[in-house]
Amino acid sequence: MSQTDAAQKLAYALRFGDTALVLSHRLSEWCGKGPALEEDMALANTALDLLGQARHWLTYAGELEAQGRDEDALAYHRNDREFFNLLLVEQPNGNYADSMVRQFYFDAWHALALRRLLASNDAQMAAIAEKALKEVSYHLRRSSDLVVRLGDGSERSHAMMQAAADALWAYTGEMFMGDAVDADAAAQGYGFDPASLRAPWLDYVREVFDEATLTLPNPDAWMHQGGKQGRHGEALSYLLGEMQVLQRSYPGAQW
Amino acid sequence: MKKEWPLWEIFIRSQHGLAHKHVGSLHAPDAEMAVNNARDVYTRRNEGVSIWVVRSADIVASSPDDKEPLFEPSNSKVYRHPTFFPMPEAVKHI
Amino acid sequence: MYAQLVETGAQRVRGTDELEGQERVFQERIDAGVKIEPKDWMPEGYRKTLVRQISQHAHSEIVGQLPEGNWITRAPTLKRKAILLAKVQDEAGHGLYLYSAAETLGVSRDALIAQLHAGKAKYSSIFNYPTLTWADIGAIGWLVDGSAIINQIPLCRCSYGPYARAMVRVCKEESFHQRQGYDLLLALCNGTPEQKAMAQDALNRWWWPALMMFGPSDADSVNSAQSTQWGIKLFSNDALRQKMVDQTVPQAEYLGLTIPDPDLKWNEERGHYDFGAIDWDEFFNVIKGNGPCNRERLATRVQAYEDGEWFREGLNAHADKQAARGAAAA
Ligand SMILES: [Fe+2]
Ligand SMILES: [Fe+2]
């Protein structure tokens, strides 16, 4: 493997790891403040699953990098320009409808992406994907179910879900936009072309929204991008500032 | 006060082949969500592989006042218990 | 403890031989160690006291999520973060199990939560203190969950079946909570001088509130005597507190931390540690609502509940629609 190949594969692994880590962080902000005790616990389970996945990805990224950085070094000692998570998952929680729609958009993509990674020629990536997919299949079932129920619920819940669906829509396009890292992943056979997930994702989201009596936003609308390349919104730096405070304040300490 | 989600009784079967066992209760808007919630609340430590949920209001229980007529009679049927029959030392595997 | 100063309504405890009729049969069952179940006859005082005690306990679990939840997003390693998140999630579960146990006594969870939100129901004083550093998370696990275990293990044998069963489940899950706290502090005490100072500071701030958790001496309390007779209180506050001190002192020594009590010393004659006087003014002040975080804790719970109303209502509306569709199709 040439040096650029290795760097691209590393970036690819970090995208999955950072995305899982940042979303897990957002979900954990709800802990103790959910709309019902049962829901509080269910969401914490999803947060724990994603955190576990992030640890697998970051540990593997550290191995690919071969600079002796472990999961914590990568999670706590990179700044926002070095994080490659999707913009969608760094969006602040908003109200619970916002958080559920964000989860649904993401889960629908995540399940498709992991399924593609099962065929990765990188055994480690395929193994992480296989384990994660079991968890994510449940996440998707749960978030789809909640979208249907709340969309087709009360007038108020319908309105809140529609507003969230519209507001977050512009952050979904990035999941399907490829760049040199994606092209390399597809060409080398360890990853896939993200554009190929767009049609099945749209089909699925449309189907769930139909059942939820929600209106699908315009698929051809303007979409934000940049997260995968390390250009984020303003929120991520705050998120990392909070997450990393102890590691940064006490360099070299063991916890 | 707004309407509260109804209460459900949760039964879990572990992987060891024993019957479903009552583990507790929770609130959910309907049966399907009760199953989901039960998964998230009561199987966080590998407790089970199968979930039953029953609306608490649908459970028909025997009355405590019937305790004597229902359960006393079985007290006098000690012969149903194997320890009622002492076996000679020499007899094995029985 | 998680339920403090529980009112029983009793003026004087009557012995079993002073009781008559159903009440006597009830007390004889308790004396014989037979569990009371939801449909059994029970004195109104027993029912009301249990509702108070179990719901206070439940409120403590869910309010107790907040001080520790405060550090989930700042946990210093991903492993510690996962442990803390799982731990705080467990506390939500404990609240859920306990509310369910209270519901078997004929009150709804919403009604109990409304009492909490109206400021009419108590929860443990301990959760009104702030978590200022990461070491506080260790101190809570070690001291607060540690104290909770001391209190809750006997409650697994209490006279009311659903409460006892909930406690069995809680205790099973609780065992890792205390250990993760101690393990966290061990890492700090084996770390840099700054980390060790952080641990000592946490112990300094949490030690006395942790001792207060058990409540004032109840040796002369008619409420405690009544609860003891009913089998829903098994040891006195002082006995539980002594047990906590006795088991904790050597653990602190192992960490190399100093318990902030100059009067603390081993009493050979008693076979226990003697310890200094507790500032009960502080305790009653916190109970009255004047602790450092009472206002925020309650406000956070109220807001979470109010913000979630559309969610709970929306799911109800969908369930009703589905049921109507099912009925129409049938
Ligand atoms: Fe607890
Ligand atoms: Fe605990």
Side-chain angles (χ1 to χ4, degrees):
Chain A
M1 209 162 29
S2 79
Q3 269 201 328
T4 47
D5 282 354
Q8 286 183 324
K9 199 175 200 179
L10 168 63
Y12 199 72
L14 285 174
R15 286 176 180 184
F16 280 96
D18 292 347
T19 295
L21 179 59
V22 168
L23 184 55
S24 164
H25 181 109
R26 284 291 185 225
L27 297 182
S28 73
E29 291 173 7
W30 277 110
C31 186
K33 298 164 190 149
L37 271 177
E38 289 80 4
E39 183 62 24
D40 206 304
M41 298 185 70
L43 199 69
N45 276 341
T46 303
L48 278 167
D49 287 344
L50 288 168
L51 181 54
Q53 293 169 24
R55 295 178 65 190
H56 287 303
W57 281 115
L58 294 182
T59 299
Y60 184 48
E63 288 166 18
L64 289 170
E65 190 187 46
Q67 304 280 332
R69 293 209 279 182
D70 62 6
E71 58 179 37
D72 290 328
L74 286 168
Y76 292 95
H77 293 281
R78 285 179 298 144
N79 61 37
D80 65 313
R81 303 285 278 122
E82 298 162 301
F83 261 71
F84 301 127
N85 59 280
L86 294 166
L87 294 174
L88 176 66
V89 299
E90 76 192 45
Q91 297 310 306
N93 282 342
N95 61 42
Y96 209 72
D98 296 319
S99 289
M100 284 305 99
V101 169
R102 180 185 64 196
Q103 193 66 35
F104 170 64
Y105 284 161
F106 174 71
D107 291 342
W109 173 85
H110 202 195
L112 289 168
L114 292 172
R115 215 161 274 138
R116 294 293 291 275
L117 281 185
L118 293 179
S120 171
N121 61 14
D122 181 306
Q124 189 71 17
M125 286 191 179
I128 297 173
E130 192 188 346
K131 184 174 182 300
L133 185 57
K134 288 187 193 126
E135 298 167 345
V136 171
S137 302
Y138 183 75
H139 302 170
L140 178 60
R141 201 177 98 183
R142 212 184 84 82
S143 60
S144 306
D145 186 51
L146 283 175
V147 166
V148 169
R149 286 166 180 274
L150 293 166
D152 181 39
S154 66
E155 241 173 77
R156 181 153 176 231
S157 71
H158 176 87
M160 289 183 69
M161 293 301 279
Q162 187 66 58
D166 295 341
L168 290 162
W169 186 248
Y171 299 101
T172 59
E174 189 192 20
M175 299 192 287
F176 313 106
M177 291 179 197
D179 63 1
V181 172
D182 291 306
D184 180 69
Q188 305 284 333
Y190 61 82
F192 54 87
D193 171 14
S196 65
L197 301 186
R198 185 164 183 260
W201 183 84
L202 268 176
D203 285 347
Y204 182 79
V205 171
R206 185 178 288 118
E207 194 184 308
V208 171
F209 273 24
D210 278 351
E211 207 188 330
T213 70
L214 293 170
T215 307
L216 189 78
N218 176 11
D220 300 319
W222 161 261
M223 293 287 166
H224 297 288
Q225 57 176 313
K228 285 160 67 172
Q229 294 81 29
R231 292 191 313 278
H232 297 275
E234 290 177 347
L236 185 65
S237 177
Y238 287 98
L239 183 153
L240 295 180
E242 184 174 338
M243 185 171 91
Q244 299 173 341
V245 61
L246 285 171
Q247 286 274 352
R248 302 282 190 150
S249 306
Y250 301 90
Q254 299 298 306
W255 302 91
Chain B
M1 185 166 291
K2 302 278 167 134
K3 189 177 97 180
E4 190 169 4
W5 291 348
L7 193 65
W8 301 80
E9 300 304 319
I10 311 302
F11 300 80
I12 305 261
R13 178 161 54 73
S14 70
Q15 34 224 344
H16 311 302
L18 296 174
H20 283 77
K21 182 171 179 285
H22 183 244
V23 293
S25 344
L26 50 75
H27 288 267
D30 64 16
E32 203 187 325
M33 278 210 77
V35 171
N36 285 353
N37 290 346
R39 180 263 187 198
D40 283 314
V41 171
Y42 287 108
T43 68
R44 286 173 294 128
R45 287 173 167 80
N46 285 324
E47 288 94 335
V49 291
S50 166
I51 297 170
W52 286 352
V53 303
V54 183
R55 203 185 267 261
S56 309
D58 289 342
I59 291 201
V60 181
S62 61
S63 157
D65 300 339
D66 289 342
K67 201 172 279 173
E68 290 182 14
L70 285 181
F71 306 115
E72 289 283 288
S74 70
N75 275 346
S76 57
K77 299 187 180 63
V78 281
Y79 48 80
R80 283 187 187 276
H81 299 277
T83 46
F84 181 72
F85 307 93
M87 288 289 122
E89 274 282 317
V91 181
K92 300 295 180 199
H93 306 297
I94 184 163
Chain C
M1 199 24 67
Y2 283 9
Q4 294 162 334
L5 306 172
V6 181
E7 180 65 44
T8 60
Q11 307 299 321
R12 182 179 79 83
V13 178
R14 290 170 300 156
T16 308
D17 48 345
E18 292 175 80
L19 302 171
E20 284 170 18
Q22 286 180 304
E23 200 169 358
R24 173 146 188 170
V25 174
F26 169 85
Q27 188 59 49
E28 281 169 352
R29 284 185 65 188
I30 290 183
D31 295 346
V34 178
K35 295 266 183 276
I36 306 300
E37 294 295 338
K39 288 189 146 194
D40 293 336
W41 183 89
M42 60 184 80
E44 191 52 18
Y46 176 82
R47 195 188 70 82
K48 279 192 174 151
T49 303
L50 267 176
V51 169
R52 259 183 234 120
Q53 180 171 337
I54 301 173
S55 62
Q56 264 194 48
H57 194 157
H59 299 330
S60 298
E61 300 283 354
I62 62 165
V63 176
Q65 285 186 274
L66 302 174
E68 289 185 281
N70 184 36
W71 279 89
I72 294 172
T73 55
R74 290 178 289 172
T77 70
L78 298 184
K79 185 174 150 204
R80 294 273 179 213
K81 189 191 287 282
I83 291 169
L84 182 58
L85 180 52
K87 195 260 185 196
V88 179
Q89 182 201 37
D90 274 354
E91 306 300 3
H94 298 172
L96 198 157
Y97 310 153
L98 285 159
Y99 283 124
S100 303
E103 284 176 273
T104 62
L105 293 159
V107 280
S108 75
R109 185 164 93 186
D110 270 359
L112 296 172
I113 288 176
Q115 286 175 7
L116 170 70
H117 291 177
K120 287 186 205 143
K122 292 200 247 347
Y123 58 87
S124 179
S125 53
I126 195 80
F127 300 118
N128 290 311
Y129 290 86
T131 49
L132 301 179
T133 73
W134 174 246
D136 291 24
I137 301 308
I140 291 182
W142 176 35
L143 302 175
V144 177
D145 290 272
S147 297
I149 294 170
I150 290 175
N151 180 53
Q152 287 167 2
I153 286 181
L155 285 176
C156 296
R157 296 183 281 114
C158 77
S159 64
Y160 188 56
Y163 191 24
R165 290 191 284 274
M167 280 294 106
V168 168
R169 207 173 173 84
V170 167
C171 285
K172 255 189 221 161
E173 301 187 357
E174 204 66 64
S175 56
F176 107 81
H177 293 183
Q178 185 185 19
R179 286 182 177 206
Q180 63 85 33
Y182 194 74
D183 183 67
L184 189 165
L185 289 173
L186 257 181
L188 295 182
C189 291
N190 291 328
T192 66
E194 267 175 307
Q195 285 177 301
K196 186 153 188 195
M198 195 189 274
Q200 182 64 55
D201 171 57
L203 177 57
N204 293 348
R205 284 180 290 107
W206 288 93
W207 174 253
W208 291 108
L211 293 195
M212 289 173 202
M213 261 178 90
F214 294 90
S217 174
D218 55 359
D220 305 319
S221 155
V222 65
N223 286 324
S224 292
Q226 180 64 74
S227 290
T228 304
Q229 192 196 30
W230 279 336
I232 53 180
K233 180 173 180 72
L234 294 114
F235 293 97
S236 75
N237 292 349
D238 287 329
L240 293 169
R241 183 168 23 243
Q242 183 70 60
K243 186 159 193 233
M244 188 274 197
V245 172
D246 289 348
Q247 79 174 36
T248 307
V249 173
Q251 293 166 356
E253 279 166 7
Y254 186 82
L255 289 170
L257 296 178
T258 308
I259 288 176
D261 178 359
D263 298 325
L264 184 78
K265 65 170 191 297
W266 177 251
N267 182 325
E268 192 64 53
E269 218 168 290
R270 290 202 308 128
H272 292 293
Y273 281 93
D274 290 335
F275 51 93
I278 293 169
D279 178 1
W280 291 111
D281 282 350
E282 176 179 325
F283 173 79
F284 284 109
N285 241 318
V286 174
I287 291 278
K288 268 186 233 138
N290 300 326
C293 300
N294 293 59
R295 209 174 47 80
E296 287 123 282
R297 298 284 187 251
L298 204 55
T300 304
R301 283 307 319 160
V302 170
Q303 188 175 350
Y305 190 77
E306 287 176 356
D307 288 352
E309 189 186 294
W310 73 272
F311 176 89
R312 299 187 300 273
E313 284 296 298
L315 294 184
N316 265 337
H318 178 78
D320 290 347
K321 279 187 193 176
Q322 284 294 83
R325 283 173 199 144

